[in-house]
DNA sequence: GCGATTTGCCTAAAACTATTAGGCAAATCC
DNA sequence: GGATTTGCCTAATAGTTTTAGGCAAATCGC
């Protein structure tokens, strides 16, 4: 019988695509096997478990998103960097809703520490360098930015903003501008 | 055989408790049946489907959370109301992580329109009455507040803030204060 | 090029979840 | 008390997860 040429990498990549198509929590070993035209049990040579697949997709998405954000931030500072960061984040979620959801999967501490999540934190801190915030304010600000961006994207994705006539695009700019002003006001004298 | 006295209400309530104990996505018709000591099929007299159960828990959680927020807001205005709103939101998520997750379930538009989600939107707007914001700024602000609070709670729950030594409590106050200042600055002259 | 070994995908099987159909006894209504 | 409704049951089907063991294809050593 001809072999399908599966690898852990390919499976995780395909899992990420599947997540974008049908939603992250619909990603199943069975569906993945179907997609490759192989039997379910075959995937267990490459994946330890269903949870292992999900974690793999999460790590992949974190990497990919970190790469995008890094690109977006290159050569920018201050308000410009803030806007670019926000845009990269939001665009990724819109292009790849399943991967975005995966990136939000709760990882156990060791896995998280070895993930691209660390880069995300570093980059958020890098943005704040343009705003002269001393600790612990800088940490507070990191948490606030993470919260706003994640919260906004998450609410937008779940259809929370579809009732009103106000353009979400406009709200997004308003929020980014507001945050910029807020951070400038908080600058350590 | 003695009857267990199941009703849709009791099942949803128990489902909410189960969600808090084992996580919202571990809530299953089977687990619920086990908890009541009845056979799985018996629950189908009260619930249309697994999805129906999940939706029921979500609606229940939205109600409960809206009640709490309403209580917290009673008699308060401005910064005081903002802080109370934030606290009610966060406390609920900590006390009832499963229900909180349920409240974030994506509902189809008709269900959402008939849910307590509407009250949530109204109450958020009520808070902003203390800040003199004209439309569309008010809508932008509603979205921002929703984003920050949901985002913060969601990141905190998923362990995102456990790396640094900075007290999450302090960050929370800092953020609430910052938002208050931001909204005051945005007030329409 | 060929034998030995590794590796990849397979079949088989057990366990759990979701869902539907139909039955019998308990509760409820005159 | 008899008729009807209702609640929980058994039975059966289908899908997903996971483990165990097998056979053939790929790969390695010579």
């Amino acid at each position: 019988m001809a072999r399908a040429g599966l690898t852990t990498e390919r499976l995780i990549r395909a899992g990420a695509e599947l997540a974008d198509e049908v939603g992250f929590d619909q990603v199943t070993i069975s569906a993945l096997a179907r997609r490759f035209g192989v039997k379910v049990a075959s995937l267990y040579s490459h994946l330890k478990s269903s949870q292992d697949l999900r974690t793999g997709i999460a790590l992949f998405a974190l990497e990919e998103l970190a790469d995008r954000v890094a690109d977006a931030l290159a050569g920018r500072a201050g308000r410009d960097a803030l806007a670019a960061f926000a845009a990269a984040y939001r665009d990724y979620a819109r292009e790849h809703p399943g991967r975005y959801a995966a990136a939000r999967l709760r990882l156990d501490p060791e896995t998280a520490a070895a993930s691209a999540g660390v880069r995300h934190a570093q980059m958020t801190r890098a943005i704040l360098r343009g705003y002269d915030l001393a600790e612990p304010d800088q940490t507070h600000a990191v948490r606030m930015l993470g919260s706003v961006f994640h919260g906004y994207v998450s609410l937008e994705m779940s259809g929370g903003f579809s009732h009103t006539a106000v353009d979400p695009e406009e709200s997004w700019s308003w929020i980014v501008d507001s945050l910029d002003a807020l951070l400038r006001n908080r600058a350590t004298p």
Side-chain angles (χ1 to χ4, degrees), chain A:
Chain A
M1 241 168 258
R3 296 193 181 186
L6 305 182
T7 65
T8 305
E9 243 97 310
R10 281 190 69 199
L11 287 174
I12 285 175
R13 228 193 162 77
E17 283 160 24
L18 188 59
D20 287 337
E21 289 165 28
V22 303
F24 182 55
D25 29 66
Q26 309 302 318
V27 172
T28 170
I29 300 231
S30 302
L32 206 50
R34 238 173 275 134
R35 170 166 293 221
F36 279 98
V38 301
K39 296 294 169 177
V40 182
S42 304
L43 300 203
Y44 283 83
S45 307
H46 308 282
L47 303 168
K48 273 201 286 295
S49 67
S50 186
Q51 189 49 44
D52 191 49
L53 168 63
R54 269 183 254 279
T55 302
I57 297 174
L59 294 175
F60 171 78
L62 281 172
E63 253 345 304
E64 191 175 49
L65 178 53
D67 288 348
R68 285 208 184 194
V69 170
D71 269 8
L73 286 184
R76 295 183 205 271
R79 171 189 226 128
D80 216 29
L82 185 67
F85 179 87
Y89 209 76
R90 189 180 182 214
D91 290 349
Y92 187 74
R94 297 168 137 211
E95 273 178 60
H96 298 297
R99 299 182 201 194
Y100 181 76
R104 301 260 45 102
L105 181 70
R106 182 175 198 147
L107 302 171
D108 55 294
E110 320 92 78
T111 312
S115 77
V118 179
R119 278 170 70 205
H120 285 274
Q122 285 167 349
M123 290 189 291
T124 312
R125 257 170 216 286
I127 289 174
L128 293 174
R129 244 174 254 136
Y131 290 98
D132 280 327
L133 290 169
E135 282 299 2
D137 285 12
Q138 202 177 83
T139 298
H140 299 329
V142 166
R143 290 174 178 178
M144 183 176 68
L145 291 183
S147 300
V148 184
F149 295 148
H150 166 50
Y152 192 92
V153 162
S154 154
L155 292 177
E156 192 180 31
M157 278 186 9
S158 69
F161 297 158
S162 44
H163 313 310
T164 351
V166 178
D167 186 6
E169 215 65 45
E170 250 187 75
S171 294
W172 183 254
S173 309
W174 188 91
I175 290 172
V176 173
D177 285 348
S178 298
L179 291 174
D180 173 64
L182 188 161
L183 292 173
R184 275 188 280 114
N185 276 334
R186 283 287 195 174
T188 318

